[in-house]
Amino acid sequence: MNDLVRQHTALSETDLEWLHLLVSEWQLLSDLSFADLVLWVPTLDGTRYVSVAQMRPNTGPTSYQDDMVGHLVPRGRRPLLDAALDEGRIVREGDPEWREEVPVRVESIPVRREGRVLGVIARNTNLLTVRTPSRLELTYLQSASDLAQMIAAGSFPFPGQQVDMDASPRAGDGLMRLDADGVVTYASPNALSAYHRLGLASDLVGQHLGTTTAELAPTRGPVDEAIGKLASGWAPRETEVEGNGGVIQLRAIPLKPKGTRIGSLVLCRDVTELRRRERELITKDATIREIHHRVKNNLQTVAALLRLQARRMDSEGGREALNEAVRRVGSIAIVHETLSQNLDERVEFDEIADRVIAMVAEISPGKVECRRTGRFGILDAEVATPLSMVLTEILQNALEHAFTQGEGGRVEVSATRTGSGRTDGRLLITVLDDGSGLPEGFDPQKAGNLGLQIVRTLVEGELGGTFDMLPAEPRGTKVVLEVPVSPQK
């Protein structure tokens, strides 16, 4: 719609925002009318109309099989559009049109904002299935007529009240029509069922909805008063009411077709099961985070015990082996600490990598600079945990064997992520140092070093990736890892 309005019309940005506000609301008008809606806006030169938005009803058959957005028609071809635009009134005159052997009633509703008519809504009703209307259908049609008059007068939609139609109640979820005093004159079967879920034992018709709703809600005091006022339909608001184990969502729409409030529409939806599942998920997420937090604490306790044991070791080799174990346990603890702060089992690995680099850098024998370039991105927990251990082992190996005591140097960890959307992703990791390089005849796939054995096992076995160590130019060692990962979202 933005592109069409800016390309073909003279409407301002504030006018365009008004049209967006209207389009966010007009599913309700379409459903209440049992009709298709097409929004036509006059072009810059005033000789044509361009259709910038379209809506089909959920409550009846469509009148348009094809998409109408982007169509251009000259003035004069559709007289009802001309009359509504020029006279600023709702136009219903004329015989039904026949489209593919289907009779269609066409009406035009001017869209007004601050006294100016911005465009026209063409309301098209498929008459093929017309029958004697029920009371529900009559209520729908009367409410649609009231909303259409408010659109023509510029009093609907309500400024600053843009609605998320995916989250808000719709007409089919449950509808109540109130009079000017807030008394229910009609309640659809779904609306009545929703209130029975709250504990209502009688019919809704004839009852003051605000008072009834406040009595069904378990809270007392100012909250009751607010709920009662909203349910009475005095202002365009949304809220949720909980009682008797049930939860319903309410949306009030004041009706002022001629500038004076004659009553209101209250849409309602039973969201009991939805909220129950959300609470279960919140509880489950909290439990998972608590588990990760406790695992992290336990791993830190193990690391502290190993560190304490290392201090009491007389053997230099044994002390160093325990310190390596401390770092391995610490790398896993970092992952669990990050997971304990997240709502899902995915982590931003860049933060983990930086903490692993800082932890391993503490063992640097000299002035070796360690840094990271590129981004690892978000990884699943089952990838992040072994990858943190792999990174720990490779960095630890580089700092211990590539540089002599007191020697300066540089170790750089780089990460490149490929794959997005639905494509398979790969993560390429390179660890490059400018140290002494690999020994003559060194084979990384056969080396018996425990650290390299851990790296091979985790990368090839658990992560399903590849691992290699190569001489770097002009000196040093380059470690290359490539592992499959979930695509970025």
Side-chain angles (χ1 to χ4, degrees), residues 426 458-466 482-484:
R426 307 287 295 180
L458 292 177
V459 172
E460 297 173 359
E462 190 162 343
L463 295 175
T466 59
E482 187 172 6
V483 297

Side-chain angles (χ1 to χ4, degrees), residues 91-105:
V91 183
R92 295 190 175 93
E93 298 88 355
D95 296 327
E97 296 181 3
W98 287 84
R99 299 176 187 162
E100 298 179 358
E101 300 184 355
V102 175
V104 176
R105 182 174 64 242

Side-chain angles (χ1 to χ4, degrees), residues 342-361:
N342 289 356
L343 293 176
D344 55 18
E345 291 293 286
R346 293 168 65 82
V347 295
E348 177 62 64
F349 196 79
D350 294 319
E351 177 187 349
I352 293 174
D354 291 341
R355 293 180 63 180
V356 167
I357 291 170
M359 177 182 68
V360 178

